[in-house]
Amino acid sequence: MEKSALPYRPNVGIVVFNKEGLTLVGERLDHLGAWQYPQGGVDEGEDFAAAARRELAEETGITDAEFIFETPDFLYYDFPTNLSIPRMTDRYRGQKQKWYLAWWDFPVSRANLKTHTQEFARVAFMPMAEATNQI
């Protein structure tokens, strides 16, 4: 099937910040040195806001963040043509995302990275500019 005929995968991303204005990022367990914001796919029939809360809980164990903003529109991107991710790039042309901003002002030691299939080796708060450069 032609890539342009494939659908976009529904996805959410969450930017969690604290009172210092730092953002929470996780270092990928499968690619040490690679950092990302908590994010993930939306299950069929699942509400995007509910998916954001679920993904944050699954990846970080954080269930008490206060969600304060949602992007009003979807953001779309196509996967690079040379990227190959099993069960992803053969089914989807890219992702359509909603991003969420959440407040959580606790030490990262309160995060539990083993509540679900562990994706992060560790999480850390860092300035958004630094996080953006790491991602």
Side-chain angles (χ1 to χ4, degrees), residues 13-88:
I14 308 99
V15 177
V16 178
F17 73 100
N18 65 11
K19 69 181 173 193
E20 284 86 31
L22 302 175
T23 59
L24 184 77
V25 290
E27 182 179 22
R28 292 201 49 89
L29 189 60
D30 58 351
H31 291 97
L32 294 178
W35 294 79
Q36 71 178 50
Y37 291 113
Q39 63 84 37
V42 178
D43 294 335
E44 189 171 331
E46 186 178 27
D47 175 75
F48 276 75
R53 290 181 183 282
R54 176 184 52 75
E55 285 293 338
L56 183 62
E58 287 178 359
E59 293 184 0
T60 67
I62 296 172
T63 59
D64 55 353
E66 179 184 352
F67 280 66
I68 59 175
F69 181 78
E70 169 186 339
T71 53
D73 298 315
F74 289 109
L75 305 171
Y76 292 83
Y77 73 89
D78 289 350
F79 293 131
T81 55
N82 62 342
L83 181 66
S84 179
I85 303 172
R87 296 180 316 279
M88 179 81 67

Side-chain angles (χ1 to χ4, degrees), residues 1-8 78 92-93:
M1 178 182 281
E2 181 68 32
K3 278 276 193 201
S4 62
L6 294 174
Y8 285 95
D78 289 350
Y92 303 100
R93 70 186 287 181

